[in-house]
Amino acid sequence: MAQGEVDTKKCGSALVSSLATGLKPRYHFAALEKTYYERLPYRNHIVLQENTQHATRFIALANVGNPEKKKYLYAFSIVPMKLMDAAELVKQPPDVTENPYRKLGKEISIGKQIPAPEEESACQFFFDLNERQGRKRSSTGRERKSPHPKQPRKPPQPPGPCWFCLASPEVEKHLVVNVGTHSVVELSAEVVEEVEKYKATLRRFFKSRGKRCILFERNYKSHHLQLQVIPVPLSRCATDDIKDAFITQAQEQQIELLEIPEHSDIKQIAQPGAAYFYVELDTGEKLFHRIKKNFPLQFGREVLASEAILNIPDKSDWRQCQISKEEEETLARRFRKDFEPFDFTLDD
């Protein structure tokens, strides 16, 4: 169907839209506009935030015997849900898209067609998706504005002494080998770009020394973004071994560690303030766990220090890694010198 054949702003049913959102049918057939259209299947859950559910296929059919000879028959075979294996039922098609009704929200005015505002066009398959949401109305039907404008939420502040703030008296500055231009309070585009530069540079640096670079982040019980970078000698194991170690130990601890697309951004998956654990392998493969309740604080260290990877299980506890300040200063100077040829901050 050509996109211009149906004006989705003026036709459709808010009631059917609401029903489709709530019922989540496997197949949704429509004939309201007397034309044929089949969209890509869409998912009925929010990835990594809700349990995986079956996909829905939306198919619109033309009227029987129409002079344009548009398709009005659709042959398909469907197995009842109760006869299907659960894993097969929720298997997502490779071309699945996001749910087109997501913007409907929980409050939809049934039976009314609201003109679409210019800045929010609703090109959403014959249904009105432009109901205004979340605002109270007076008995006259007019919107009431709150007398107290909502103030922007301030970023959370550390409750006490911090080992990672450069301005803190507790920070061990002799261990700092490089300082970027931007500080991380909220990840602006400039900060993201700088972090990616550091990641790419560290990968090149460790590769030149016969090591692969594994990164992980635990955004849980922490007031800072702490991106841990661990070099693993190429001779120790393959990347697949590291990936398997993370997944196996996660399963043993009943942690749902999912593989996410390499091109995906954490901002697309985790909402602001959400707790999560994240791994990035040297191949670009990514693993993600959304923390809902409790999470082992040393999980990343435990996996990499295990016999399958670095074989230093006693180092999984940072308290077992303490050395004298003199030794720390020596190691920091050595790293700073070795890293200098790769240091992009010296180019400015």
Side-chain angles (χ1 to χ4, degrees):
M1 183 188 74
Q3 189 68 27
E5 286 189 29
V6 175
D7 187 348
T8 59
K9 298 179 182 179
K10 297 180 180 179
C11 64
S13 167
L15 175 59
V16 175
S17 298
S18 180
L19 285 172
T21 303
L23 295 177
K24 302 178 178 63
R26 292 164 67 190
Y27 282 86
H28 181 171
F29 291 95
L32 184 64
E33 300 305 320
K34 301 179 180 179
T35 189
Y36 170 72
Y37 172 72
E38 181 174 0
R39 82 176 300 279
L40 295 175
Y42 64 83
R43 59 174 61 94
N44 284 297
H45 63 278
I46 302 176
V47 177
L48 299 177
Q49 295 184 33
E50 298 175 347
N51 292 331
T52 306
Q53 298 191 42
H54 59 269
T56 293
R57 288 171 168 81
F58 177 91
I59 301 153
L61 295 174
N63 54 320
V64 177
N66 66 88
E68 295 86 3
K69 297 184 179 180
K70 294 177 181 178
K71 187 173 181 178
Y72 60 86
L73 291 176
Y74 190 90
F76 69 104
S77 175
I78 186 169
V79 179
M81 283 185 174
K82 64 180 181 180
L83 301 180
M84 292 186 66
D85 178 74
E88 186 65 25
L89 175 63
V90 299
K91 185 177 180 181
Q92 303 294 292
D95 55 352
V96 69
T97 73
E98 291 300 322
N99 191 317
Y101 307 122
R102 187 67 62 192
K103 293 182 180 179
L104 277 172
K106 296 181 180 179
E107 298 179 13
I108 182 168
S109 300
I110 297 177
K112 292 185 178 180
Q113 298 293 331
I114 307 297
E118 292 182 1
E119 67 274 14
E120 293 185 0
S121 60
C123 187
Q124 298 289 356
F125 321 117
F126 314 165
F127 304 127
D128 173 26
L129 299 184
N130 287 306
E131 297 282 48
R132 297 186 180 183
Q133 304 171 30
R135 296 182 183 178
K136 294 182 179 180
R137 291 178 177 270
S138 66
S139 58
T140 61
R142 297 181 179 179
E143 294 177 1
R144 295 184 298 184
K145 295 183 178 180
S146 171
H148 306 290
K150 188 176 181 180
Q151 298 297 321
R153 185 172 60 181
K154 295 181 179 180
Q157 300 298 317
C162 178
W163 294 354
F164 301 99
C165 292
L166 289 178
S168 171
E170 285 76 20
V171 70
E172 297 182 280
K173 294 184 180 179
H174 65 283
L175 292 175
V176 177
V177 297
N178 199 274
V179 179
T181 305
H182 301 281
S183 62
V184 180
V185 177
E186 293 182 354
L187 280 181
S188 63
E190 292 81 3
V191 175
V192 171
E193 182 181 358
E194 188 171 60
V195 169
E196 291 300 322
K197 272 188 177 181
Y198 270 111
K199 287 161 61 175
T201 303
L202 285 167
R203 288 192 185 98
R204 290 196 300 271
F205 169 68
F206 285 119
K207 186 177 181 180
S208 72
R209 307 179 79 80
K211 299 177 181 180
R212 56 173 45 90
C213 195
I214 309 301
L215 302 95
F216 70 86
E217 178 193 356
R218 170 179 53 81
N219 186 37
Y220 174 67
K221 292 190 176 181
S222 172
H223 293 279
H224 289 275
L225 182 151
Q226 299 176 30
L227 191 63
Q228 313 291 333
V229 182
I230 313 297
V232 177
L234 296 174
S235 59
R236 283 293 310 168
C237 56
T239 302
D240 283 345
D241 297 324
I242 300 174
K243 180 180 177 181
D244 291 343
F246 269 105
I247 293 174
T248 299
Q249 292 201 36
Q251 291 174 342
E252 291 175 355
Q253 300 188 47
Q254 297 184 326
I255 297 171
E256 188 180 23
L257 192 60
L258 303 174
E259 187 168 359
I260 60 177
E262 295 180 19
H263 64 272
S264 61
D265 189 334
I266 290 295
K267 286 185 176 181
Q268 298 172 329
I269 300 172
Q271 297 178 348
Y276 62 84
F277 177 80
Y278 166 78
V279 183
E280 188 170 334
L281 305 174
D282 61 309
T283 55
E285 295 173 278
K286 300 176 181 180
L287 304 173
F288 180 90
H289 169 65
R290 183 174 182 267
I291 301 174
K292 298 178 181 178
K293 195 173 181 181
N294 298 320
F295 185 79
L297 299 182
Q298 305 302 326
F299 178 72
R301 293 178 64 101
E302 290 170 357
V303 174
L304 292 170
S306 67
E307 294 181 4
I309 310 301
L310 292 173
N311 194 23
I312 47 173
D314 57 311
K315 302 295 184 184
S316 62
D317 186 343
W318 66 269
R319 288 178 287 259
Q320 302 299 320
C321 302
Q322 298 184 69
I323 57 178
S324 68
K325 184 175 180 179
E326 290 73 20
E327 290 176 290
E328 290 178 340
E329 289 175 336
T330 299
L331 290 173
R333 282 196 300 269
R334 185 185 304 169
F335 185 91
R336 193 179 296 114
K337 180 180 178 181
D338 293 342
F339 185 68
E340 186 172 349
F342 298 83
D343 189 357
F344 64 87
T345 64
L346 300 178
D347 298 335
D348 297 334

